[in-house]
Amino acid sequence: MAAAAGTTEGVQELPNRRVILKRYVTGFPTEDDMEVVTGTVRLAVPPGSAAVLLKNLYVSCDPYMRGRMTKHDRPSYVPDFVLGEALLNFGVSKVIASEHQDLKVGDLVWGMTGWEEYTLISNPQSLFKISHTDVPLSYYTGVLGMPGLTAWAGFFDVGKPKKGEYVFVSAASGAVGQLVGQLAKLTGCYVVGSAGSDEKVNLLKTKFGFDDAFNYKKEQDLNAALKRYFPQGIDIYFENVGGPMLEAVLSNMRNHGRIPTCGMISQYNLEQPEGVHNLFEIVAKRLRVEGFMVFDYFSQYRKFEEEMVGYLNEGKISYIEDIADGLENAPGALIGLYSGRNVGKQLVAVARE
Amino acid sequence: MAAAAGTTEGVQELPNRRVILKRYVTGFPTEDDMEVVTGTVRLAVPPGSAAVLLKNLYVSCDPYMRGRMTKHDRPSYVPDFVLGEALLNFGVSKVIASEHQDLKVGDLVWGMTGWEEYTLISNPQSLFKISHTDVPLSYYTGVLGMPGLTAWAGFFDVGKPKKGEYVFVSAASGAVGQLVGQLAKLTGCYVVGSAGSDEKVNLLKTKFGFDDAFNYKKEQDLNAALKRYFPQGIDIYFENVGGPMLEAVLSNMRNHGRIPTCGMISQYNLEQPEGVHNLFEIVAKRLRVEGFMVFDYFSQYRKFEEEMVGYLNEGKISYIEDIADGLENAPGALIGLYSGRNVGKQLVAVARE
């Protein structure tokens, strides 16, 4: 996206560090699949182009990125990354040059950008201007950005919760899970979360106000664990992980339960995903399993943002970030998601302002 | 349900043939799991009881009955059959004795009854009075009964079809499938069905007006077959079979597709159901997989009945039955469902009137 070294007179060029994908991945990704390289960027946008040049402040690490590291024969739901080019994902940036009528130099935005210091965005319609600076800017990669909108839309619009219902959240300390659990508590639900370490379990109970939580890595039998935590069964399962956890949950759902489904992180690095054997539960219990994507809810972003900023300012929602410093640490931060190394929302500070 | 030989003076007793479950089943059921025995029935109902005595005319054979032949540790969504007692299922019957205020001798009803000649129903609220006698009575076990309401509610209420959408129906010549396909055609959809014999495939195309159909037993690769029949992909899959067919369908769904799910006949006789490995398609394509049960739609029965009787009388819906004669042939008719021996809706004529 950043221009190569140009020749136009009077335009300043700067080095531009970027994280590129070196090779497509099968199985578990490693840091070696990526490389931090340095190119250059021209500090200008083509006149009359409606483009903007962004200085990236924070970029987000999100589980779905794994899918873009695979070479697909057929187009996937998000495009594959291009080898040798900067990875792409949501981030928080500052406009440093603009030919776009609604964006001026100095504006703060969030949206899809490159894993690099500077990114030229030819088509900035998908960027959201940041209006609230009374919260940390980095929050726009998480609680006020894509993961926050995912949690809010998935829980309320797909999950259709009612007060008093029993809610289970997997990957519960992650960017989406921590918010789903808190939104469920605000709705008057009983909420249990699962996570992959005792530290995370502790956070769920003490910081995020979950009614209970467990370390799934310590459970021999997920089905038995869920029976223990939900003797009455589960009304809403916010699905982030897939595989054996989904199978155990299906056996513990209540009639007319709902499973908003936005990710299946346990399956992303498997060459052959695990089978789920008890789908007849969907019939027997009249379940609704519904996939959704945050892109379909971008039109509701402002409504969501005001609601969530309100919760944050009133102290009704807590939020934990795990910030890696510098692009050189970005590959490791991304890989860490798939082993659950991060505690809270993982992001990378590219440049602190 | 039928009373044992009584002693009350003046009350006539008759022999009552019945099909009982001899033992609980694991794996594929056989005729030997059932037995036709003869008891007696008293031609009376307890005074002041609100009960009715039914003479059964037709009983229905439905795939879901397999679940009731299993001994469950925990209660299933429908109760297990009781060993030594008559099997239970929907049927068409005539009231021959009544203490119920809304049902009088001679009334024709459909609803849950026994696989026997006479059944005493203590709690007849769940029986529907039959008002249309301009159609064959047996239709109330199918197109105007439980399978018809299943097709109608599942397709319209769960599937939410739009004109021009692509609809795939498995087990398409069965009681539910043949109706779903025709309702889809009436809605202006493009409809393809799968069935297990060339005879059935031919019926789908010539009698039921499907746009196309295929014999799944002749396809080495279901995924490739669906790609051939749906190069554009599938908007609605009416799920009757589960297992590998569901897996192939998931790979061929379009974005925002819907999968109304009311049965998974391919899995009922497996001791370990097959795994479905590509559930991530639910996320990637934002699919809705939704189980439903006809019981939840009984309140809409009269609306459905009027609509469907209209279609039948106008020749807009065709309907094919496979009628076994006599209770002695009922076990074989039921077993035949699981090998696909029936052509059209399978039922048993207990007594023709």
Side-chain angles (χ1 to χ4, degrees):
Chain A
M1 278 183 166
T7 56
T8 314
E9 283 173 34
V11 171
Q12 196 190 353
E13 271 192 0
L14 282 182
N16 188 19
R17 267 193 316 160
R18 41 183 18 196
V19 180
I20 62 163
L21 186 67
K22 260 167 51 186
R23 55 178 170 244
Y24 287 111
V25 177
T26 53
F28 210 94
T30 66
E31 294 190 37
D32 284 348
D33 297 322
M34 293 165 269
E35 190 175 2
V36 183
V37 300
T38 302
T40 58
V41 62
R42 298 176 68 235
L43 291 192
V45 291
S49 66
V52 294
L53 183 66
L54 300 182
K55 179 181 180 187
N56 297 313
L57 307 179
Y58 298 98
V59 293
S60 179
C61 299
D62 294 298
Y64 89 96
M65 294 172 74
R66 174 61 188 83
R68 306 187 71 173
M69 301 173 87
T70 296
K71 180 73 193 160
H72 290 90
D73 300 331
R74 298 183 292 161
S76 179
Y77 73 107
V78 279
D80 302 343
F81 289 136
V82 177
L83 291 190
E85 301 217 350
L87 275 65
L88 302 170
N89 195 25
F90 298 96
V92 171
S93 313
K94 187 185 213 170
V95 176
I96 59 170
S98 174
E99 288 284 321
H100 193 275
Q101 58 182 11
D102 299 333
L103 294 170
K104 61 180 194 303
V105 171
D107 278 351
L108 294 165
V109 296
W110 77 268
M112 195 58 74
T113 190
W115 276 35
E116 56 193 347
E117 292 176 279
Y118 302 95
T119 304
L120 183 74
I121 304 283
S122 316
N123 203 344
Q125 278 104 306
S126 65
L127 298 176
F128 291 96
K129 231 192 279 196
I130 289 176
S131 36
H132 291 273
T133 50
D134 49 342
V135 292
L137 267 181
S138 57
Y139 279 23
Y140 281 88
T141 66
V143 59
L144 294 174
M146 183 277 279
L149 184 59
T150 299
W152 181 81
F155 184 65
F156 289 115
D157 189 66
V158 184
K160 304 238 184 301
K162 290 188 281 289
K163 190 178 166 179
E165 286 193 318
Y166 295 89
V167 175
F168 177 55
V169 186
S170 55
S173 72
V176 175
Q178 57 175 278
L179 299 173
V180 170
Q182 293 179 86
L183 293 172
K185 285 309 300 172
L186 288 173
T187 310
C189 298
Y190 180 87
V191 187
V192 178
S194 65
S197 76
D198 291 347
E199 178 192 6
K200 293 177 184 177
V201 165
N202 191 44
L203 270 180
L204 294 176
K205 294 198 274 195
T206 57
K207 176 91 180 170
F208 298 132
F210 283 54
D211 294 290
D212 217 330
F214 65 92
N215 180 347
Y216 72 90
K217 291 182 180 169
K218 284 188 168 170
E219 298 291 343
Q220 294 297 311
D221 180 343
L222 291 173
N223 188 14
L226 289 171
K227 268 189 197 14
R228 217 163 59 234
Y229 287 98
F230 293 100
Q232 328 76 349
I234 299 165
D235 293 299
I236 298 180
Y237 169 49
F238 198 98
E239 165 67 306
N240 290 309
V241 306
M245 182 65 94
L246 176 56
E247 185 158 315
V249 168
L250 285 169
S251 295
N252 286 282
M253 291 295 289
R254 303 176 91 179
N255 286 347
H256 299 289
R258 290 131 275 154
I259 305 186
T261 305
C262 73
M264 295 191 175
I265 193 172
S266 77
Q267 305 297 298
Y268 293 170
N269 300 313
L270 305 178
E271 299 200 24
Q272 166 70 339
E274 293 165 289
V276 173
H277 298 80
N278 56 347
L279 294 178
F280 187 70
E281 298 280 8
I282 295 172
V283 180
K285 294 172 179 163
R286 294 158 269 185
L287 306 179
R288 175 161 58 82
V289 183
E290 187 162 350
F292 67 100
M293 271 191 202
V294 68
F295 313 112
D296 294 330
Y297 292 93
F298 276 170
S299 64
Q300 294 184 49
Y301 176 71
R302 293 300 173 194
K303 179 168 180 256
F304 152 77
E305 183 189 23
E306 292 313 308
E307 189 175 322
M308 192 59 88
V309 166
Y311 291 144
L312 289 167
N313 287 338
E314 295 160 25
K316 288 184 175 166
I317 291 267
S318 296
Y319 179 60
I320 289 187
E321 299 178 303
D322 194 331
I323 306 185
D325 250 306
L327 281 172
E328 65 277 15
N329 291 313
L334 178 58
I335 301 309
L337 287 179
Y338 305 106
S339 59
R341 206 181 57 198
N342 58 305
V343 178
K345 199 287 174 273
Q346 180 70 59
L347 66 143
V348 178
V350 181
R352 304 236 188 203
E353 295 232 325
Chain B
M1 278 183 169
T7 54
T8 314
E9 284 174 31
V11 171
Q12 196 188 352
E13 271 193 359
L14 283 182
N16 188 18
R17 267 193 318 157
R18 41 184 17 197
V19 180
I20 63 163
L21 186 67
K22 260 167 49 185
R23 55 178 169 243
Y24 288 111
V25 177
T26 53
F28 210 95
T30 66
E31 294 190 37
D32 283 348
D33 297 321
M34 293 165 269
E35 190 174 3
V36 184
V37 300
T38 301
T40 57
V41 62
R42 298 176 66 235
L43 291 192
V45 291
S49 66
V52 295
L53 184 67
L54 300 182
K55 178 181 180 186
N56 297 314
L57 307 179
Y58 298 98
V59 292
S60 179
C61 299
D62 295 298
Y64 90 96
M65 294 171 75
R66 173 63 187 81
R68 308 187 70 172
M69 302 172 87
T70 296
K71 180 74 193 160
H72 289 89
D73 299 330
R74 297 182 293 160
S76 178
Y77 73 107
V78 279
D80 302 343
F81 288 136
V82 177
L83 291 190
E85 300 218 348
L87 274 64
L88 302 170
N89 195 25
F90 297 95
V92 170
S93 312
K94 188 187 216 170
V95 177
I96 58 171
S98 175
E99 288 284 322
H100 192 275
Q101 59 182 8
D102 299 333
L103 294 170
K104 60 180 197 299
V105 170
D107 279 350
L108 294 164
V109 295
W110 78 267
M112 194 58 73
T113 189
W115 277 34
E116 56 194 348
E117 292 177 281
Y118 303 95
T119 304
L120 183 74
I121 304 283
S122 316
N123 202 345
Q125 278 103 306
S126 66
L127 298 175
F128 291 96
K129 230 191 278 197
I130 289 175
S131 34
H132 291 273
T133 50
D134 48 343
V135 292
L137 267 182
S138 56
Y139 279 23
Y140 282 88
T141 65
V143 59
L144 295 174
M146 185 278 281
L149 183 59
T150 299
W152 182 82
F155 184 66
F156 290 115
D157 189 66
V158 184
K160 304 240 182 302
K162 291 187 280 289
K163 188 176 167 181
E165 285 193 319
Y166 295 88
V167 175
F168 176 55
V169 186
S170 55
S173 71
V176 175
Q178 58 175 274
L179 299 172
V180 170
Q182 293 179 86
L183 292 172
K185 285 309 299 173
L186 288 173
T187 309
C189 298
Y190 180 86
V191 187
V192 178
S194 66
S197 76
D198 291 346
E199 178 192 6
K200 292 177 185 179
V201 166
N202 191 45
L203 269 180
L204 292 177
K205 293 199 275 193
T206 57
K207 176 91 180 170
F208 298 131
F210 282 55
D211 293 290
D212 217 330
F214 65 92
N215 180 347
Y216 72 90
K217 291 182 181 169
K218 285 187 167 172
E219 298 290 342
Q220 294 297 310
D221 179 343
L222 291 173
N223 188 13
L226 289 171
K227 268 188 199 14
R228 218 162 58 232
Y229 287 99
F230 293 99
Q232 327 76 349
I234 300 166
D235 293 299
I236 298 180
Y237 170 47
F238 198 98
E239 164 67 305
N240 289 310
V241 307
M245 182 64 95
L246 175 56
E247 186 158 313
V249 168
L250 284 170
S251 295
N252 285 281
M253 291 296 289
R254 303 176 91 179
N255 286 347
H256 298 289
R258 290 131 273 155
I259 306 186
T261 304
C262 73
M264 295 191 174
I265 193 172
S266 76
Q267 305 297 298
Y268 293 169
N269 301 313
L270 305 178
E271 300 200 22
Q272 165 70 336
E274 293 165 290
V276 173
H277 298 81
N278 57 348
L279 294 177
F280 186 71
E281 298 279 10
I282 295 172
V283 180
K285 294 173 179 162
R286 295 158 269 186
L287 306 179
R288 175 161 56 84
V289 183
E290 187 162 350
F292 68 99
M293 271 190 202
V294 69
F295 312 114
D296 294 329
Y297 292 93
F298 276 170
S299 63
Q300 295 185 48
Y301 176 72
R302 292 300 173 196
K303 179 168 179 255
F304 153 77
E305 184 189 24
E306 290 314 308
E307 190 177 321
M308 192 58 89
V309 165
Y311 291 145
L312 289 167
N313 288 339
E314 294 159 25
K316 288 184 177 167
I317 291 267
S318 296
Y319 180 60
I320 289 187
E321 298 178 305
D322 193 331
I323 306 185
D325 250 306
L327 281 173
E328 64 278 15
N329 291 314
L334 178 58
I335 300 309
L337 288 179
Y338 304 106
S339 58
R341 205 180 58 198
N342 57 306
V343 177
K345 198 286 174 275
Q346 180 70 59
L347 67 143
V348 178
V350 181
R352 304 234 187 204
E353 294 233 326

